[in-house]
Amino acid sequence: MVQAALAALTDGVAGSLSLGLRHARRDRGNGVCTFNSLVRAASAALHAGAERLLILDLDAHCSGGTGSLIAGNPAIRLVDVSVNAFDRSTPTRGNALDLVRRAAAYLPIIERRLAELDGDSFGLVLYYAGMDARQHCPIGGYPGIDGALLEGREHLVFRWARQRGLPIAFVPGGGYTGPLLNRDSLVALHRLTLAAAVAHHRSEARAGEEAIVDRADQPAGR
Ligand SMILES: [Zn+2]
């Protein structure tokens, strides 16, 4: 995750196929997480020159571990939209936690939280792309949240980052299989994140190329 964060600072978009391990606390592991790689990545990015960071956590479960580690640090802001109260804690100043109670409200709440960030500036977004909110996921799955909705979420996030020119590093989360969610289906869910990252990164690259062409068409300067 650290390398993904540093790569995103130069490349615009990067991802790690590890895990974010975001339940871990400073003094102990928690929720099968031994250390918090999201906060490790945030620290590395700040050390590398990023002025402020947003951690956008859309895993099914709350990110109390991350919240506890960044409490009181004005350089890192946490936006957490969850559907399951595991690892819930009261968000500290400047941070946000939503516990969604209706599938229909899931995307609108994420959209509203992102819109609220418009006046804020960030040098990097760390995106925890948890897929365990999908219905039938044995740990965290929420009725009514299906693959199409999660695909819409991924495009919402990466489009938002591109439109604001924000570098973004992502990490997949919530890789649980069960009787109604087999491994192929789970892999397909995580591929939604990769596809959205590539799609919006490519459109950004195309826009850059068009700008270069436009400039080339201009008469030579003085
Ligand atoms: Zn989870």
mmCIF file of all heavy atoms in Angstrom, residues 55 100 117 156-157 188:
data_model
loop_
_atom_site.group_PDB
_atom_site.id
_atom_site.type_symbol
_atom_site.label_atom_id
_atom_site.label_comp_id
_atom_site.label_asym_id
_atom_site.label_seq_id
_atom_site.Cartn_x
_atom_site.Cartn_y
_atom_site.Cartn_z
ATOM 1 N N ILE A 55 -8.583 9.790 3.370
ATOM 2 C CA ILE A 55 -8.816 8.347 3.353
ATOM 3 C C ILE A 55 -10.308 8.142 3.157
ATOM 4 O O ILE A 55 -11.118 8.557 3.992
ATOM 5 C CB ILE A 55 -8.346 7.668 4.657
ATOM 6 C CG1 ILE A 55 -6.820 7.811 4.807
ATOM 7 C CG2 ILE A 55 -8.729 6.188 4.643
ATOM 8 C CD1 ILE A 55 -6.266 7.209 6.093
ATOM 9 N N VAL A 100 -25.020 3.232 6.861
ATOM 10 C CA VAL A 100 -26.159 3.223 5.946
ATOM 11 C C VAL A 100 -27.158 2.155 6.377
ATOM 12 O O VAL A 100 -26.768 1.027 6.707
ATOM 13 C CB VAL A 100 -25.674 2.960 4.504
ATOM 14 C CG1 VAL A 100 -26.844 2.854 3.538
ATOM 15 C CG2 VAL A 100 -24.710 4.062 4.066
ATOM 16 N N LEU A 117 -16.674 17.606 0.158
ATOM 17 C CA LEU A 117 -15.220 17.783 0.172
ATOM 18 C C LEU A 117 -14.757 18.790 -0.861
ATOM 19 O O LEU A 117 -13.554 19.054 -0.980
ATOM 20 C CB LEU A 117 -14.527 16.434 -0.093
ATOM 21 C CG LEU A 117 -14.791 15.345 0.947
ATOM 22 C CD1 LEU A 117 -14.286 14.001 0.431
ATOM 23 C CD2 LEU A 117 -14.125 15.691 2.274
ATOM 24 N N LEU A 156 -18.199 6.282 -9.579
ATOM 25 C CA LEU A 156 -18.426 7.538 -8.854
ATOM 26 C C LEU A 156 -17.131 8.029 -8.211
ATOM 27 O O LEU A 156 -16.754 9.198 -8.337
ATOM 28 C CB LEU A 156 -19.505 7.301 -7.800
ATOM 29 C CG LEU A 156 -19.817 8.423 -6.819
ATOM 30 C CD1 LEU A 156 -20.410 9.610 -7.565
ATOM 31 C CD2 LEU A 156 -20.789 7.939 -5.745
ATOM 32 N N VAL A 157 -16.430 7.139 -7.546
ATOM 33 C CA VAL A 157 -15.212 7.523 -6.821
ATOM 34 C C VAL A 157 -14.105 7.960 -7.781
ATOM 35 O O VAL A 157 -13.504 9.029 -7.613
ATOM 36 C CB VAL A 157 -14.718 6.351 -5.940
ATOM 37 C CG1 VAL A 157 -13.316 6.625 -5.404
ATOM 38 C CG2 VAL A 157 -15.695 6.110 -4.801
ATOM 39 N N ALA A 188 -14.617 -11.020 -9.654
ATOM 40 C CA ALA A 188 -15.307 -10.095 -10.561
ATOM 41 C C ALA A 188 -15.625 -8.776 -9.851
ATOM 42 O O ALA A 188 -15.536 -7.692 -10.455
ATOM 43 C CB ALA A 188 -16.580 -10.741 -11.092
#
